[in-house]
């Protein structure tokens, strides 16, 4: 009999959780916690007008409208009610025991409330797949990830219920509703037309030169944080507001070139995207910008020697059928400038040199190239040189460490033989005599 009474009280409490006519006895003690938690999550209190129901409806147990709403949803329908329900749900989560089932259910309901609020703010619409604005080329994203942040409004992009776009050039992300508010052109266009770095370290000019406004969106800023905090970009030296400067960290090219300093510094969003697009572009001519750097960084000298050797190996590969079929030069396809010159560097090259990665990988490629020329390929071996000064030793190649190359005729000699011999290069002398005989030949025939 006692079990039947408990079952009846349990059914009454769950079929009609909003019934205010229940007694204040044992029944209230058992169902009170469930009532208060559910009322808070739904954003309704016992004194709200929306809480009052007719006696007939309450008797039927239809206060929660179980037949029209799935379990776990909410009654709030406008933005104000949803905000109030979210705040009350947060308070309930803090009051409930940690890691309890009731707290987990409350967190799930809080997520539903926030999704509903975002849906009301940004209703789903049919949007075009491609949008072109200020040289940005935006593509509609199909990913449902919720970890993205809008670069314009600095709010979370809820991929489940919101439409959002990504620029294929600079990877600028924003809501569809923020597209028409964008004022900054695509950084990719600047990289294409003017691919160069700011080589002065944090060239600050002061807030007064910016009229105390953000350098990008022109919002009022100040160092005191009123009306908005001024944040300096270490790359440009300019000041930005919190919406345009998220305290992102990036390596500053000027600090690397002048100080060999690779510590990341705070930069604006625009500078971060520009540096990300420029990081692999070979635009730094170190021997002109800071030639003394090679005296203090030994790794740079080693890399320069490897690059010079690879340039000397290149003529062998482009005239060798086996090397072309094996596509040996594609070993450097990620650093194409290494087979074009030995002067230009990208910021990524310098980062890899400092970390020790580039020296290891380039040494392996150098060894592979030298093995093909000196051991594997007979055609390349036949293009070697014999020292004409001592006429002894093995076949020499211009990239060997113990050789020297004539700057005029590119003949290869032993280094000791070349510097010990004070006479002219034998090959240069031979070529000079041949040219003289060619010029003398026609003149002798004319006299005859």
């Amino acid at each position: 009999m006692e079990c039947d009474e408990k079952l009846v009280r349990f059914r009454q409490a769950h079929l009609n959780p909003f019934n205010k006519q229940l007694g204040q006895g044992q029944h209230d003690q058992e169902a009170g916690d469930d009532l208060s938690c559910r009322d808070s999550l739904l954003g309704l209190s016992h004194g709200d007008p929306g809480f009052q129901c007719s006696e007939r409806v309450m008797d039927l147990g239809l206060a929660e409208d179980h037949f029209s709403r799935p379990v776990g949803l909410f009654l709030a329908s406008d933005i104000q009610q949803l905000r109030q329900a979210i705040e009350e749900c947060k308070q309930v989560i803090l009051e409930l025991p940690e890691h309890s089932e009731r707290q987990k259910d409350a967190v799930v309901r809080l997520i539903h409330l926030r999704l509903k609020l975002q849906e009301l703010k940004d209703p789903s619409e049919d949007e075009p797949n491609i949008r072109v604005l200020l040289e940005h080329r935006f593509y509609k994203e199909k990913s449902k990830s919720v970890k993205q942040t809008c670069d314009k409004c600095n709010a979370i992009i809820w991929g489940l219920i919101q439409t959002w776009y990504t620029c294929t050039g600079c990877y600028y992300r924003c809501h569809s509703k923020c597209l028409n508010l964008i004022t900054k052109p695509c950084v990719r266009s600047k990289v294409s037309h003017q691919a160069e770095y700011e080589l002065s370290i944090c060239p600050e000019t002061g807030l007064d030169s910016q009229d105390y406004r953000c350098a990008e969106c022109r919002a009022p800023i100040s160092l005191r944080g009123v009306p908005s905090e001024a944040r300096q970009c270490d790359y440009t030296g300019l000041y930005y507001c919190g919406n345009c400067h998220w305290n992102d960290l990036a390596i500053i090219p000027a600090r690397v070139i002048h100080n060999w300093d690779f510590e990341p510094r705070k930069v604006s969003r625009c500078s971060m995207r520009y540096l990300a697009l420029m990081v692999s572009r070979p635009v730094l001519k170190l021997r002109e910008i800071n030639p003394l750097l090679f005296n203090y960084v030994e790794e740079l000298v080693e890399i320069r020697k490897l690059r010079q050797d690879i340039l000397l190996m290149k003529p062998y590969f482009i005239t060798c059928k086996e090397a072309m079929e094996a596509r040996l030069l594609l070993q450097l396809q990620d650093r194409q400038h290494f087979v074009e010159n030995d002067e230009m560097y990208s910021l990524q090259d310098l980062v890899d040199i400092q970390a020790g990665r580039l020296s290891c990988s380039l040494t392996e490629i150098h060894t592979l190239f030298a093995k093909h020329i000196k051991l594997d390929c007979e055609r390349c071996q036949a293009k070697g040189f014999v020292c004409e000064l001592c006429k002894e030793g093995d076949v020499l190649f211009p990239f060997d460490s113990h050789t020297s190359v004539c700057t005029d005729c590119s003949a290869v000699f032993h280094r000791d033989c070349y510097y010990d011999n004070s006479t002219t290069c034998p090959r240069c002398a031979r070529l000079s005599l041949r040219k003289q005989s060619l010029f003398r030949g026609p003149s002798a025939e004319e006299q005859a």
Side-chain angles (χ1 to χ4, degrees):
M1 184 66 180
E2 185 178 354
C3 294
D4 294 339
E5 291 178 357
K6 290 184 178 180
L7 181 60
V8 170
R9 288 197 299 270
F10 177 83
R11 288 177 175 175
Q12 290 177 351
H14 285 76
L15 285 175
N16 193 5
F18 295 99
N19 190 355
K20 291 182 62 177
Q21 304 301 327
L22 294 174
Q24 300 298 325
Q26 182 179 2
H27 171 69
D28 286 346
Q29 295 178 356
E30 295 179 357
D33 292 338
D34 291 337
L35 286 170
S36 61
C37 180
R38 182 172 297 184
D39 293 344
S40 299
L41 292 180
L42 296 177
L44 297 174
S45 61
H46 292 288
D48 291 338
F51 186 86
Q52 304 295 336
C53 299
S54 63
E55 185 68 25
R56 183 174 181 180
V57 174
M58 300 301 284
D59 291 341
L60 291 175
L62 301 178
E64 283 190 298
D65 195 8
H66 296 282
F67 298 101
S68 61
R69 292 184 182 87
V71 177
L73 293 183
F74 28 80
L75 295 176
S77 59
D78 58 23
I79 294 178
Q80 188 64 29
Q81 287 180 340
L82 283 169
R83 286 175 176 170
Q84 182 181 355
I86 288 173
E87 294 301 323
E88 293 178 358
C89 189
K90 289 180 181 178
Q91 188 63 31
V92 170
I93 292 173
L94 295 176
E95 294 175 356
L96 290 173
E98 292 188 4
H99 307 297
S100 63
E101 292 297 327
R102 293 176 60 190
Q103 189 186 50
K104 294 179 181 179
D105 294 339
V107 171
V108 172
R109 296 197 179 192
L110 176 61
I111 294 173
H112 284 302
L113 286 168
R114 284 180 168 173
L115 288 174
K116 182 65 177 178
L117 180 62
Q118 288 291 336
E119 185 177 0
L120 291 178
K121 284 184 176 181
D122 185 27
S124 58
E125 299 177 357
D126 293 332
E127 297 282 351
N129 292 327
I130 303 175
R131 298 283 296 274
V132 179
L133 294 170
L134 297 176
E135 299 185 1
H136 291 280
R137 189 172 181 84
F138 288 105
Y139 274 81
K140 184 195 291 187
E141 290 288 351
K142 298 180 181 180
S143 173
K144 301 301 181 182
S145 173
V146 296
K147 295 182 180 180
Q148 306 295 341
T149 304
C150 178
D151 285 315
K152 179 59 183 176
C153 66
N154 201 12
I156 295 177
I157 298 175
W158 298 92
L160 292 172
I161 58 176
Q162 291 180 313
T163 304
W164 59 290
Y165 288 82
T166 299
C167 175
T168 58
C170 63
Y171 306 105
Y172 189 98
R173 294 185 294 267
C174 68
H175 299 99
S176 60
K177 62 181 180 181
C178 298
L179 280 178
N180 295 327
L181 303 177
I182 296 174
T183 58
K184 195 71 175 178
C186 181
V187 180
R188 172 75 68 175
S189 60
K190 181 180 178 181
V191 173
S192 302
H193 301 138
Q194 189 180 5
E196 59 183 12
Y197 285 117
E198 172 60 58
L199 297 180
S200 299
I201 298 177
C202 194
E204 180 182 0
T205 56
L207 267 175
D208 56 338
S209 63
Q210 299 179 208
D211 197 22
Y212 294 90
R213 294 182 178 275
C214 173
E216 184 171 342
C217 68
R218 308 303 298 167
I221 54 176
S222 71
L223 293 176
R224 295 183 177 181
V226 180
S228 179
E229 177 189 6
R231 299 178 179 178
Q232 188 181 28
C233 173
D234 196 83
Y235 173 68
T236 62
L238 301 176
Y239 289 88
Y240 298 82
C241 65
N243 289 332
C244 301
H245 192 312
W246 296 4
N247 289 328
D248 296 303
L249 298 177
I251 296 174
I252 309 302
R255 294 185 181 273
V256 173
I257 295 172
H258 296 293
N259 300 338
W260 201 243
D261 179 9
F262 291 86
E263 181 181 354
R265 311 293 175 119
K266 294 180 180 180
V267 297
S268 65
R269 294 292 293 174
C270 181
S271 297
M272 188 198 67
R273 284 191 290 269
Y274 181 78
L275 292 174
L277 292 174
M278 286 283 293
V279 68
S280 299
R281 287 181 171 258
V283 296
L284 299 173
K285 200 169 185 178
L286 293 185
R287 277 191 284 189
E288 289 186 0
I289 302 172
N290 185 10
L292 295 178
L293 194 60
F294 290 89
N295 297 336
Y296 295 96
V297 183
E298 296 179 359
E299 294 86 352
L300 281 175
V301 179
E302 179 184 358
I303 294 298
R304 182 175 62 182
K305 179 62 172 66
L306 291 174
R307 292 183 62 176
Q308 291 173 348
D309 288 349
I310 290 175
L311 290 176
L312 293 174
M313 296 177 186
K314 181 181 176 181
Y316 290 86
F317 294 144
I318 61 179
T319 57
C320 176
K321 182 179 179 181
E322 295 181 5
M324 295 298 291
E325 291 178 351
R327 298 186 177 183
L328 291 178
L329 288 177
L330 289 182
Q331 298 287 334
L332 292 169
Q333 60 180 344
D334 295 334
R335 304 181 196 270
Q336 190 65 31
H337 52 287
F338 278 16
V339 295
E340 296 174 355
N341 58 73
D342 63 337
E343 297 180 346
M344 306 304 294
Y345 292 82
S346 68
L347 183 61
Q348 187 62 53
D349 294 337
L350 302 182
V351 172
D352 292 339
I353 290 173
Q354 193 272 339
R357 295 187 296 265
L358 183 57
S359 178
C360 295
S361 62
L362 203 59
T363 301
E364 292 178 0
I365 295 174
H366 182 278
T367 304
L368 177 65
F369 287 179
K371 180 175 177 292
H372 171 83
I373 296 174
K374 301 176 71 173
L375 299 177
D376 297 343
C377 181
E378 294 182 357
R379 294 181 181 179
C380 293
Q381 292 178 28
K383 298 175 185 176
F385 294 82
V386 175
C387 180
E388 297 186 33
L389 297 175
C390 67
K391 299 181 180 180
E392 296 179 358
D394 299 330
V395 178
L396 304 179
F397 293 91
F399 50 84
D400 288 334
S401 59
H402 61 285
T403 60
S404 294
V405 180
C406 177
T407 56
D408 295 328
C409 66
S410 299
V412 181
F413 308 93
H414 291 112
R415 181 174 298 174
D416 295 337
C417 298
Y418 187 73
Y419 287 107
D420 292 343
N421 194 327
S422 59
T423 60
T424 59
C425 169
R427 189 181 183 191
C428 290
R430 186 168 60 254
L431 292 175
S432 178
L433 290 175
R434 185 179 300 175
K435 289 181 180 179
Q436 292 177 5
S437 63
L438 290 175
F439 284 116
R440 290 175 181 174
S443 61
E445 291 178 358
E446 291 177 358
Q447 292 178 1

